[in-house]
Amino acid sequence: MNSYSKQDLARLGEDLALKFLITSGYVIVCRNYRCQFGEIDLIVEKDQHLVFVEVKTRSYHSLQSALDNITYRKQVKISQTAQVYCNQNPAYSKHQTRFDVIVVFYDSRDNTFKVQHLIDAFLPILLD
């Protein structure tokens, strides 16, 4: 039985989410993109979609709890950050955008992980 710090577990979850997306045919565009509004964990591309991915890693199996941590305020920050990214990267101007959530569940009893991908998890929230 492994014992991970919160930071190690989060990083491991993000690594597993990345591997999951690559295996599912996505191309990694950027990891941990930061600007004045916030951070986006993963930005990936597939089929003319630019996908902004929030990764949540949990050591308990509550999907609702993980989703509850992506509050309205967090969605606004992700949306604003995505808008900055798109403005800085005009090569993606013809792509459709999407906001996904990946929840990685860790079971300490048998040291296993389960990845759950929620496609189109929320709509962008852009404030004037």
Side-chain angles (χ1 to χ4, degrees):
M1 176 154 88
N2 285 343
S3 178
Y4 296 104
S5 71
K6 275 188 166 185
Q7 293 85 2
D8 288 342
L9 191 59
R11 183 68 178 182
L12 190 55
E14 204 171 276
D15 290 345
L16 290 169
L18 193 61
K19 288 178 186 173
F20 173 85
L21 289 167
I22 290 168
T23 302
S24 300
Y26 291 84
V27 174
I28 303 309
V29 174
C30 187
R31 184 172 181 170
N32 302 122
Y33 173 77
R34 289 179 176 83
C35 74
Q36 71 270 26
F37 295 112
E39 177 191 5
I40 296 177
D41 295 326
L42 302 171
I43 303 174
V44 297
E45 188 266 337
K46 182 179 180 182
D47 301 330
Q48 286 297 108
H49 282 82
L50 188 63
V51 184
F52 300 95
V53 183
E54 176 70 9
V55 179
K56 294 294 182 191
T57 306
R58 295 289 177 263
S59 57
Y60 49 91
H61 292 253
S62 171
L63 179 61
Q64 189 59 51
S65 173
L67 294 177
D68 286 346
N69 281 325
I70 307 171
T71 63
Y72 175 83
R73 181 174 164 85
K74 177 76 171 173
Q75 291 177 36
V76 168
K77 290 177 102 173
I78 292 169
S79 300
Q80 291 173 319
T81 303
Q83 185 173 34
V84 169
Y85 184 85
C86 289
N87 290 341
Q88 290 176 346
N89 295 277
Y92 296 107
S93 64
K94 295 193 189 287
H95 282 60
Q96 294 182 26
T97 58
R98 193 176 78 210
F99 295 84
D100 291 3
V101 172
I102 291 183
V103 182
V104 179
F105 296 108
Y106 170 63
D107 190 337
S108 62
R109 295 171 296 185
D110 57 3
N111 197 38
T112 58
F113 292 86
K114 178 184 173 197
V115 176
Q116 188 160 358
H117 184 191
L118 304 168
I119 296 172
D120 228 352
F122 63 91
L123 295 173
I125 302 168
L126 299 175
L127 305 176
D128 293 328

